[in-house]
Amino acid sequence: MLFDVDGVLVHGYTGQTERRRRWDEHLLADLGIDPAAFRDLFIKQAFEKEVLTGRKALLSALEEVLPKLGFHGSPFVVASYWLDRDSHLNRQLLDVVRRLRRTGRARLYVATNQEHLRAFHLWNRHGFENLFDDMFHAARFGALKPTRAFFERAAEILGPQDEPPLFFDDSEAVVQAASAFGWEGILYRGLTDCTAHPWISTILSQ
C-alpha cells in the first residue's frame, strides 16, 4: 500500500485547489522574497527540472537563484523556512496508517515527487520512519510521477505482488498512470477515500 505526500499525507500543495495550503503565503513579509517570483524563477525552473529528479541539490540550486530574488542570506534559512511551513501533517490519515501498521496485514510505503532534503525531513523529523517501510521519491529514482520509469523502479523494489499495489494520490494524472501500470490507483480527496476502501475498511473493523 502506497501513499503520496502533498495533498495526501501532508496538507500542502495539491492540484485540488480547494484543499491547497500555501507555505509561501508570508514569504515576502518574513524573508523579503516575492512568492510569485520565487515560483517563476526557482520552482518552475531549477526545482522542477533539476532538483526534484536529483540532478542538483536543493541548497545548491537555492544558492544560485536567491540573489536574483534579492535575498543574500544563507540558503539554509530559506530551506528551513520552507520545510517548517510545508509540513502540515494529515494526522487523521496518519492515524489510519498507524492502525494498519499495527495489524501487520500490509506493507506501507510513501511514493512522492520529492527532492532528497525534504524526503529525509519527513522521514526523520516527522516520524515517517516509524510508520512506513520505505519512501520512494523522485530524486532517489531520477524520475517523476506520473512517468512509467517511476513506477518501474518502485515495482523493482516492491518485488512480486499477489495483488495489485493499492496507491493513494491526489493527482488524477498520477492515478491514471498507476492504474495503467497495473496498480490500483485511488484518487485521494479526503479521509473516506482511504477508510471506505473495502479491503481497508474490513481490516479496520476487525
Side-chain angles (χ1 to χ4, degrees):
M1 192 179 306
L2 305 96
F3 298 84
D4 180 36
V5 171
D6 295 299
V8 182
L9 295 173
V10 171
H11 298 298
Y13 185 85
T14 171
Q16 299 169 18
T17 54
E18 71 280 3
R19 296 200 301 117
R20 185 178 298 172
R21 293 193 189 182
R22 290 179 50 192
W23 68 268
D24 60 357
E25 187 173 2
H26 303 291
L27 187 61
L28 181 60
D30 293 340
L31 297 182
I33 301 172
D34 178 68
F38 185 82
R39 288 193 295 273
D40 290 341
L41 293 180
F42 183 72
I43 299 294
K44 294 180 180 179
Q45 299 299 320
F47 186 73
E48 292 184 352
K49 295 178 181 179
E50 297 180 289
V51 177
L52 274 180
T53 53
R55 292 162 54 197
K56 182 176 288 186
L58 175 64
L59 291 170
S60 298
L62 283 171
E63 194 163 35
E64 293 176 4
V65 175
L66 288 175
K68 301 175 185 178
L69 297 169
F71 184 88
H72 299 282
S74 170
F76 281 98
V77 172
V78 177
S80 179
Y81 182 93
W82 187 353
L83 292 175
D84 287 344
R85 287 159 180 77
D86 204 16
S87 299
H88 300 288
L89 301 181
N90 184 345
R91 298 193 182 280
Q92 287 183 309
L93 180 57
L94 288 170
D95 284 343
V96 171
V97 171
R98 189 172 290 107
R99 291 169 62 192
L100 290 169
R101 187 171 184 83
R102 283 199 297 263
T103 69
R105 298 277 301 278
R107 295 183 67 82
L108 302 162
Y109 300 88
V110 180
T112 177
N113 285 342
Q114 300 294 331
E115 50 79 36
H116 292 306
L117 190 61
R118 186 168 183 239
F120 182 75
H121 180 80
L122 291 166
W123 187 261
N124 181 262
R125 180 172 177 181
H126 291 289
F128 280 23
E129 62 182 340
N130 299 317
L131 298 175
F132 298 98
D133 294 286
D134 203 349
M135 179 184 290
F136 305 148
H137 66 285
R140 174 181 173 183
F141 288 174
L144 294 165
K145 296 178 302 178
T147 65
R148 185 175 180 85
F150 183 97
F151 295 104
E152 288 176 341
R153 185 71 183 96
E156 288 177 9
I157 299 172
L158 290 173
Q161 303 289 307
D162 294 332
E163 300 288 341
L166 182 59
F167 177 44
F168 296 92
D169 199 288
D170 67 309
S171 165
E172 291 187 14
V174 172
V175 168
Q176 290 172 3
S179 298
F181 189 73
W183 292 6
E184 184 180 352
I186 303 292
L187 183 64
Y188 185 91
R189 291 156 298 191
L191 188 65
T192 56
D193 291 310
C194 176
T195 57
H197 185 277
W199 190 81
I200 294 175
S201 63
T202 298
I203 293 178
L204 295 178
S205 65
Q206 293 176 351

